[in-house]
C-alpha cells in the first residue's frame, strides 16, 4: 500500500498577520545585548578606538603641554582650564561620528531589515549604539583626564562637581546622537 504525503496549502490572502513587535518587557535586555555586540565590534577593530583617542590626546599634549607658556589665557586665568574644557567637548562630539557610521553600516548590510523581522524593540538598536559609544566616550574621557592631570591641569571645586560636569557632557552627547539618528531605528 502506497502512502502519499500531501503538503498543506496555505492561503496567503487569509493567513494571519505577522505578530506585532511586542517586547514583553525586554527592551533593556535587548539594548544591553546589542550594545555588547557593538562593543565586540569595536574590540575587534581597535583602529577606530585609536583614532578617537589620539586626536584629543595629541591636542592636549601639543597645545596644552608644549605651548602652555606661549599662550596667555584671558584675564590671567590658567590656559589649561580652557583647553581641558574644549577637549572634553571634543571627546563628547567625537562619539557622534562612530555612532552614525556604525548605524549606516548596519543599514547598508541589511541588518536593520533583519532586526525589523524580529520581535525586538525598534529603539533598542539605536539606544544600544548610543550606549556603547557612551561607554567608549567614558573610557576616553578618563584617559584624557588622567593625562591632563599628569601635565598639570587641576580642576576647581570638589570631585562631585567635576563628575557632574562630565556627566552633563556625556548625557548631552547621547542626547545628540539619539536625536540626530532617531530615524534609523524606525
Amino acid at each position: 500500500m502506497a502512502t502519499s504525503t500531501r503538503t498543506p496549502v496555505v492561503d496567503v490572502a487569509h493567513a494571519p498577520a505577522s505578530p506585532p513587535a511586542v517586547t514583553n518587557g525586554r527592551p533593556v535586555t535587548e539594548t544591553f545585548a546589542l550594545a555588547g555586540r557593538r562593543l565586540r565590534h569595536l574590540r575587534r577593530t581597535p583602529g577606530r578606538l585609536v583614532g578617537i583617542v589620539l586626536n584629543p590626546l595629541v591636542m592636549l599634549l601639543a597645545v596644552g603641554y608644549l605651548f602652555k607658556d606661549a599662550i596667555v589665557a584671558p584675564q590671567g586665568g590658567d590656559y589649561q582650564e580652557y583647553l581641558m574644557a574644549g577637549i572634553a567637548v571634543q571627546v563628547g562630539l567625537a562619539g557622534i561620528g562612530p555612532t552614525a557610521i556604525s548605524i549606516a553600516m548596519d543599514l547598508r548590510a541589511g541588518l536593520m531589515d533583519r532586526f525589523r523581522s524580529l520581535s525586538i524593540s525598534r529603539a533598542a538598536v539605536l539606544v544600544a549604539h548610543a550606549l556603547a559609544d557612551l561607554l567608549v566616550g567614558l573610557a576616553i574621557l578618563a584617559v584624557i583626564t588622567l593625562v591632563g592631570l599628569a601635565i598639570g591641569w587641576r580642576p576647581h571645586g570638589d570631585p562631585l562637581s567635576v563628575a557632574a560636569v562630565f556627566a552633563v557632557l556625556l548625557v548631552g552627547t547621547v542626547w545628540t546622537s539619539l536625536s540626530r539618528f532617531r530615524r534609523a531605528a524606525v
Side-chain angles (χ1 to χ4, degrees):
M1 173 191 248
T3 60
S4 69
T5 58
R6 299 178 77 184
T7 307
V9 178
V10 177
D11 185 10
V12 178
H14 295 94
S18 62
V22 178
T23 59
N24 297 331
R26 298 179 308 204
V28 173
T29 305
E30 295 163 356
T31 300
F32 284 135
L34 292 171
R37 171 190 167 270
R38 170 81 171 120
L39 291 173
R40 279 190 303 276
H41 279 257
L42 288 174
R43 189 178 58 192
R44 292 178 188 148
T45 56
R48 293 180 186 173
L49 289 177
V50 171
I52 296 171
V53 171
L54 281 183
N55 190 12
L57 194 60
V58 167
M59 289 293 294
L60 179 64
L61 293 175
V63 178
Y65 186 70
L66 296 177
F67 300 129
K68 74 177 174 183
D69 295 331
I71 300 173
V72 178
Q75 301 172 351
D78 187 18
Y79 178 70
Q80 288 180 339
E81 294 173 12
Y82 294 102
L83 182 67
M84 282 300 293
I87 288 177
V89 170
Q90 180 183 6
V91 168
L93 293 176
I96 296 172
T99 303
I101 291 170
S102 64
I103 289 173
M105 288 172 53
D106 286 349
L107 281 170
R108 183 179 301 147
L111 188 65
M112 295 295 194
D113 293 331
R114 286 180 267 171
F115 283 155
R116 284 188 191 115
S117 69
L118 299 173
S119 63
I120 65 171
S121 170
R122 293 178 188 249
V125 177
L126 184 59
V127 173
H129 280 283
L131 178 65
D133 289 334
L134 172 72
L135 295 175
V136 170
L138 279 171
I140 294 169
L141 196 57
V143 168
I144 297 301
T145 303
L146 291 175
V147 171
L149 289 169
I151 65 170
W153 171 71
R154 297 292 178 257
H156 294 292
D158 59 314
L160 186 61
S161 300
V162 174
V165 168
F166 287 145
V168 167
L169 172 73
L170 291 171
V171 166
T173 301
V174 170
W175 181 261
T176 304
S177 293
L178 290 175
S179 64
R180 181 165 167 85
F181 304 111
R182 70 181 181 275
R183 291 183 188 160
V186 290

